[in-house]
Amino acid sequence: MFNQLHSHLVRKAPSLLRAPARWLPFALQQKMMGSLLTTIFSEALADGDFEFLTGRWLQIEVRDLQLVWFISYADSRLVIAEKTPHVDVTFSAELNDLVLIAGRKEDPDSLFFQRRLRIEGDTELGLEVKNLMDSIDLTILPSVLRYGLQDFASFVQRGLAVPQP
C-alpha cells in the first residue's frame, strides 16, 4: 500500500506543481535558476567551458510543468532569458526524468534513446551541452544540496519503479 502511495505521489507531483510553478514570476525563476546553475557549474564557468554558448541559445523545457527557459553565455556568466529571437538547441523532458538525470540515477543517453529526453536543433551544440552536463562532479556541490538531490532522485526512482495497477 505504501509503495502504491509513493508511486502515485511521484507520478502525480508534476501535475500538482504545474500551476504554482507557472505562477512563479520569471524574475524569481531567473534568480533561482541562475544561482543553482552557477553553483552546479562553478568549476566549468571558472574554466570558461561555456564559451561555446556565446551568442547561441539553449532552450530547456520541462514538458509536464510547461516551463521553458533560454540559456546563453556572456561576460563569463550564464544568461537566463524568458524569450529569445532564436533557439539553437532544445532539451526537453518530464520533471521526473530531469530529476533522475541530475541525481545521476539515469543516463541522459539512455533517456534520449527511449525518447524521454528530446534534443532538437543543432546536434553538435546539443552534444557539447550534454557532455558538459555529464562532466559535472557532484562532489563540488555543498553537501546539503548534493545529498538532498541524490535522496530526492532515489525517491523518484523508487516511485517510478513500482508497477502501475
Side-chain angles (χ1 to χ4, degrees), residues 14 18-19 21-22 29 61-69 93:
R18 183 178 305 123
R22 289 181 48 100
Q29 292 178 39
E61 178 183 5
V62 185
R63 291 189 302 260
D64 50 355
L65 293 185
Q66 299 173 347
L67 289 175
V68 176
W69 300 283

Side-chain angles (χ1 to χ4, degrees), residues 78-146:
L78 292 172
V79 177
I80 300 156
E82 187 172 18
K83 296 177 182 165
T84 183
H86 75 282
V87 174
D88 295 290
V89 68
T90 299
F91 277 63
S92 67
E94 305 288 318
L95 175 64
N96 286 331
D97 289 330
L98 291 172
V99 169
L100 294 174
I101 291 169
R104 298 287 161 76
K105 300 296 180 185
E106 281 282 357
D107 177 50
D109 290 330
S110 298
L111 294 180
F112 176 77
F113 289 115
Q114 295 170 25
R115 294 196 168 113
R116 291 166 50 193
L117 170 65
R118 293 185 200 141
I119 304 173
E120 300 168 336
D122 184 328
T123 309
E124 184 178 328
L125 180 61
L127 187 58
E128 286 185 77
V129 171
K130 188 199 80 60
N131 289 340
L132 190 59
M133 288 171 35
D134 286 342
S135 72
I136 297 170
D137 179 10
L138 292 182
T139 61
I140 67 167
L141 297 178
S143 59
V144 171
L145 183 59
R146 181 176 67 242

Side-chain angles (χ1 to χ4, degrees), residues 28-38 69 71 80:
L28 189 54
Q29 292 178 39
Q30 184 181 40
K31 185 166 181 59
M32 290 169 41
M33 283 285 289
S35 295
L36 181 64
L37 293 175
T38 298
W69 300 283
I71 300 170
I80 300 156

